[in-house]
Amino acid sequence: MIDSKAVKMPLFRFILPVLAFISPTANGLITWPLKTTVGLQAEALNNLTGNRNVYATCNYVLFTEHVDYPTAAKRCQDVSLGKTTTVGSGTLATIDNEQKNDELSDLMKVAFGPSVGPEIDRKKYHDENWCWIGLHKIANLLNAPGSELTLAQMKSAAKKMKGKSTTSDWMWEDMSPANDDWMNWDNDQPDQYPDNDMNTQNHVRMYKKGLWDDSFDYKTSPFACDYTGKYILVETKMTVSNAEQACAAAGLTLAKVRSVSDNEELTQAINLFIPQESEEEWDAANWVWIGVNDLAGQGYIHFDGEEVGFNIPWYRNQPDHAPNFGTVEHYVAVNRVGSWDDSFGQHHERPFACMCSDSE
């Protein structure tokens, strides 16, 4: 097992969200502040994690890899943790109200920075300002099968459609219809304008300011998936005490695992959120702290005293309460296949699992 010095717990200072637009600064940057409590929580966890590939809230997972729309939709199918129990049934993000829109916008600002300016040549349509969401057009397509429109006719029709949106023409990847009362198109969008190969813009990307634009499905961007899982994993290695404080600072709790299904979900989340650095069995990155110990002398229970509630899948010959550091092993870590091990929580540093508050 890994032994290393405990790190000093970072301090997080939460501020009230600033709703006003911040004007351009002297260096030309335009900055949009975080609007939601969830955004501030995501920022707190981002201050810890070194993983720049995946960012998450308790509702969305944002992947920074740039892919086209079909690839994004396929990749999101694997993000089916939590309430969605069917493997392969995850979907690109459904944004059907303003609160959800603000939350994903904040997550994008956390991942890519809240500013637009010289660092990206002031180009609004730079790919890192956008991410794929699950809205796509299903009716009144200019390039519908059997259409005999020429390219010139398509362009003429698109000009007439510019900035006009018929809600019934659009659907989310989870098969829910677009919201009649709320959509968030950018100025003069959707525009449906075709390219020279007569492809039309039938799929939607979201600007990190929160506005939407229809786009060609072959464009590449980051992408956001719906997330209904209980757990958010933090890659940064900490002792148990520091991990517990870090989860609390983000408005979460150190993970509870109450059932076989919880354990299976946690295992999936570990492999989704934390890159595997080594195949070595006891590598610290392959074990994750959860909120379980036996300090009270009543068997293994969660930190708040709640019983674990199922037959613990111990790693072979565990728990062994091995002695060291003037104590014995009392705290629990879980590996990538869901096996549990007792360990020295105040001396070893590992990644850790936080749990969404509505999963309590």
Side-chain angles (χ1 to χ4, degrees), residues 172-191:
W172 296 99
E173 284 287 336
D174 67 0
M175 304 303 292
S176 61
N179 189 338
D180 283 331
D181 299 320
W182 191 87
M183 298 181 83
N184 206 42
W185 295 108
D186 200 353
N187 293 333
D188 295 326
Q189 300 300 324
D191 62 8

Side-chain angles (χ1 to χ4, degrees), residues 27 36 54 99 111-113 158 182 222 312 319:
N27 61 7
T36 65
V54 185
Q99 175 64 28
F112 305 124
W182 191 87
I312 295 175

Side-chain angles (χ1 to χ4, degrees), residues 41-89:
Q41 292 170 350
E43 185 177 47
L45 289 181
N46 179 55
N47 288 339
L48 291 175
T49 183
N51 180 11
R52 297 304 189 205
N53 300 313
V54 185
Y55 295 80
T57 70
C58 295
N59 294 312
Y60 300 113
V61 180
L62 175 64
F63 293 90
T64 62
E65 181 183 0
H66 292 208
V67 299
D68 59 26
Y69 187 96
T71 302
K74 188 174 188 304
R75 291 278 300 278
C76 283
Q77 289 177 2
D78 295 330
V79 185
S80 53
L81 285 70
K83 298 175 186 176
T84 304
T85 56
T86 305
V87 175
S89 60

Side-chain angles (χ1 to χ4, degrees), residues 96-134:
D96 54 9
N97 61 56
E98 186 173 5
Q99 175 64 28
K100 290 181 179 180
N101 201 74
D102 287 346
E103 181 177 331
L104 181 55
S105 173
D106 277 359
L107 189 59
M108 292 175 68
K109 294 169 194 170
V110 169
F112 305 124
S115 301
V116 176
E119 78 281 7
I120 55 170
D121 298 323
R122 300 180 184 271
K123 293 181 180 178
K124 176 179 178 179
Y125 287 93
H126 188 282
D127 285 343
E128 283 199 353
N129 281 331
W130 300 83
C131 78
W132 288 117
I133 58 176

